[in-house]
Amino acid sequence: MENDQMISPTDIITGIVFIDGELAMLTLTADGELRWTEYGLRQQLSMKKDVLGFVVEGKRIRVKVVVEKEAGICCGQFDGDFVRKDFVFEPLIDQNGWCFKLRQYLDSLGRPKRLLVFVNPFGGKKSAREIFVKEVKPLFEDADVQLEIQETKYQLHAKEFVKSMDVSKYDGIVCVSGDGVLVEVVNGLLERADWRTALKLPIGMVPAGTGNGMIKSLLDTVGLRCCANSATISIIRDVATIAQGNTKFFSVLMLAWGLIADIDIESEKFRWMGSARIDFYALQRIICLRQYNGRILFLPAPGFESYGQPASCSLYKEPPVSDKELGYQGPETNFEDLEWREIKGPFVTVWLHNVPWGAENTLTAPAAKFSDGFLDLIVLKNCPKLVLLSLMRQTSSGTHVESPYIVYLKVKAFVLEPGGLVDEPDKEGIIDSDGEVLARGKRTYNCDQKALMSYDKLQVTVDQGLATLFSPEY
């Protein structure tokens, strides 16, 4: 057999093996590469990037691998950017040595061994259970990850569970759902007395809902599609705190008021349509367009100081309280003496975003960055209906923010003072955060979700680097 493979003294293990009935020299290098020559071609696999795990089958060792489709290997069982493949070899000697070294290297990568998995069978097209069984669970099993599975049975189920669970039992949490369960998990962890410890537990998402904005934002940054088999692992951080008096809600994605909130929440009555309900109801709302009185105040990020008019603002401050009494209380703020700006209504919509994508097909805030410490603010005050229809279509590409009708800027802090409809002042609106009804004013759509706050002044601040998420790393 022709073999020009060099053996380095730093290689972890090297030996002659059978691959597809042919003898080959196989090496596990110190930098985590499995290298061999097959049919005269040099081959390699990365233990960190490609290898999930391995099993012993008699004299053979079966290495379970995921590879990018662009690599030219096409035997996958899953739709997405990656396919599953097995690399099988049979050591002539020292099979135990190979198993020990492979296991030792995989363990050194610090991968999760025990995961709590929330599956939301009610979200989106109610496909989460099928996605988990067919696409997610087999990959976890190949990687030898132990799973505790919790199907959510009602709103805030996941939040209640994580508030009282033993965090030491898990290496991470995975949400097979849309964005709603992720938001519940974050809020539940932040309400724990030991929230500092609990937040060190990474949270992962597998898209199986209507929106999927967070996982779309994570995957899109590295050029991967928003699908179950592409939701792989690394870590990033960011959470916003919405406060109204003593009441707090911790937002991961966005806050909306006006047209966007009305579409998001009121379209729930058409949930049987799946994600098409959003487009369907958006058309109805644009035809019968509402405008709301109100005022927004914001502390602009550097470079955005010219937006709006000068204003003064006083943020709500709580008396000191022990973490053990109420959990995380939001970031420490000292913004009162800084140069606040304001924009007065009427408004068609106000949209505050923490990540680029609001949903898989909605690039709401194309300039948003993870963990930059800012929130992206999108404001629409007035707009012809035909132009507005065009702007809604442009949200799929993010070009809507280039319109002269749109005000788009970055802010450090934000205050919303919502009012009633211009044409019906006694009829108020809905404030939506991450798909949850944050507040519901008088004579609004009566849905099943309970409002967490009153329809009144609220403030939003961002805590940079607070939560930890599983995300792709390339």
Side-chain angles (χ1 to χ4, degrees):
M1 178 188 71
E2 181 182 23
N3 178 37
D4 58 354
Q5 184 170 321
M6 299 296 293
I7 299 175
S8 168
T10 60
D11 290 339
I12 294 176
I13 188 170
T14 297
I16 298 175
V17 302
F18 280 110
I19 301 175
D20 292 336
E22 299 288 337
L23 288 173
M25 182 69 75
L26 180 66
T27 298
L28 174 59
T29 69
D31 57 357
E33 300 285 343
L34 273 174
R35 296 176 179 168
W36 71 100
T37 301
E38 187 175 7
Y39 303 118
L41 299 175
R42 290 189 178 186
Q43 308 282 354
Q44 70 178 37
L45 290 169
S46 167
M47 292 289 289
K48 180 179 180 180
K49 183 178 177 181
D50 303 325
V51 176
L52 294 173
F54 69 93
V55 293
V56 177
E57 299 174 343
K59 296 181 179 181
R60 301 186 304 171
I61 297 175
R62 183 178 299 274
V63 181
K64 300 183 177 185
V65 177
V66 286
V67 293
E68 294 182 52
K69 284 184 176 178
E70 290 76 12
I73 300 173
C74 190
C75 59
Q77 41 191 301
F78 306 121
D79 180 33
D81 298 285
F82 302 92
V83 292
R84 271 281 290 112
K85 180 179 172 64
D86 289 344
F87 167 61
V88 182
F89 69 95
E90 181 181 329
L92 264 61
I93 59 172
D94 198 17
Q95 183 192 63
N96 290 337
W98 275 100
C99 292
F100 176 78
K101 294 297 184 182
L102 289 170
R103 174 55 56 199
Q104 185 181 52
Y105 195 92
L106 287 173
D107 289 345
S108 74
L109 296 176
R111 291 176 174 176
K113 299 291 186 183
R114 302 163 300 171
L115 292 175
L116 171 63
V117 180
F118 287 106
V119 179
N120 177 14
F122 306 108
K125 296 181 180 179
K126 299 180 172 58
S127 59
R129 187 182 291 117
E130 180 181 7
I131 289 172
F132 175 72
V133 171
K134 291 186 176 180
E135 301 193 44
V136 180
K137 188 178 179 182
L139 292 175
F140 283 143
E141 290 176 341
D142 286 343
D144 198 25
V145 177
Q146 298 178 24
L147 305 176
E148 180 179 324
I149 302 161
Q150 290 285 336
E151 283 200 0
T152 56
K153 295 179 172 58
Y154 49 86
Q155 186 185 5
L156 301 183
H157 184 188
K159 178 181 177 181
E160 293 174 4
F161 189 93
V162 300
K163 279 181 67 175
S164 60
M165 72 180 186
D166 180 358
V167 295
S168 67
K169 291 174 57 179
Y170 312 107
D171 298 321
I173 301 172
V174 175
C175 306
V176 185
S177 64
D179 296 313
V181 173
L182 167 66
V183 175
E184 287 188 27
V185 168
V186 169
N187 277 266
L189 293 175
L190 287 168
E191 290 184 13
R192 294 172 60 102
D194 63 344
W195 61 267
R196 287 185 176 87
T197 300
L199 278 181
K200 295 177 182 177
L201 201 64
I203 308 167
M205 294 79 63
V206 174
T210 301
N212 305 317
M214 175 58 80
I215 190 60
K216 172 66 176 182
S217 297
L218 292 173
L219 295 172
D220 188 69
T221 59
V222 293
L224 297 178
R225 287 192 293 160
C226 186
C227 57
N229 97 325
S230 297
T232 49
I233 299 173
S234 183
I235 293 179
I236 57 146
R237 300 173 173 91
D238 226 2
V239 169
T241 303
I242 303 170
Q244 188 180 75
N246 288 319
T247 305
K248 287 184 171 60
F249 180 79
F250 302 102
S251 172
V252 178
L253 296 171
M254 64 87 172
L255 177 139
W257 172 57
L259 175 65
I260 300 303
D262 294 346
I263 293 170
D264 193 18
I265 301 303
E266 294 178 8
S267 67
E268 285 288 323
K269 55 192 172 186
F270 303 110
R271 179 166 282 276
W272 56 269
M273 297 176 66
S275 59
R277 68 181 170 90
I278 301 294
D279 294 334
F280 174 76
Y281 194 68
L283 181 60
Q284 290 191 36
R285 282 275 50 86
I286 291 172
I287 292 172
C288 302
L289 191 62
R290 301 167 179 165
Q291 284 188 290
Y292 291 90
N293 290 311
R295 181 174 75 137
I296 60 173
L297 300 101
F298 53 90
L299 191 60
F304 297 92
E305 294 88 353
S306 64
Y307 288 80
Q309 300 298 319
S312 60
C313 181
S314 177
L315 294 183
Y316 172 80
K317 283 190 174 182
E318 294 184 21
V321 63
S322 167
D323 284 349
K324 292 184 179 180
E325 292 181 51
L326 291 175
Y328 176 66
Q329 296 302 298
E332 295 183 5
T333 57
N334 188 22
F335 293 147
E336 283 81 354
D337 298 331
L338 299 179
E339 296 183 1
W340 283 81
R341 311 287 287 184
E342 70 174 6
I343 298 176
K344 295 181 178 180
F347 299 98
V348 171
T349 196
V350 174
W351 218 346
L352 195 67
H353 250 259
N354 203 20
V355 297
W357 292 85
E360 287 186 53
N361 59 354
T362 307
L363 182 54
T364 310
K369 305 293 183 184
F370 286 108
S371 296
D372 65 356
F374 301 119
L375 298 164
D376 283 40
L377 175 61
I378 302 100
V379 180
L380 177 63
K381 291 194 63 177
N382 194 12
C383 184
K385 293 180 181 180
L386 287 177
V387 175
L388 183 52
L389 278 171
S390 177
L391 286 177
M392 294 298 287
R393 289 196 298 269
Q394 291 175 41
T395 58
S396 62
S397 61
T399 55
H400 61 289
V401 299
E402 300 170 6
S403 168
Y405 293 98
I406 295 286
V407 176
Y408 180 39
L409 68 153
K410 287 182 176 289
V411 301
K412 299 176 185 176
F414 172 83
V415 173
L416 172 64
E417 297 178 352
L421 287 172
V422 171
D423 297 333
E424 298 179 77
D426 64 332
K427 185 175 182 180
E428 297 173 327
I430 296 169
I431 304 173
D432 165 23
S433 181
D434 298 347
E436 300 290 331
V437 178
L438 197 63
R440 183 189 295 115
K442 293 178 292 185
R443 296 179 58 199
T444 59
Y445 169 66
N446 186 21
C447 66
D448 295 334
Q449 292 190 39
K450 180 181 178 181
L452 304 175
M453 297 180 177
S454 61
Y455 190 76
D456 202 350
K457 177 180 176 179
L458 57 83
Q459 66 190 41
V460 184
T461 50
V462 64
D463 198 331
Q464 187 176 4
L466 183 61
T468 303
L469 303 177
F470 286 129
S471 71
E473 181 181 46
Y474 290 97

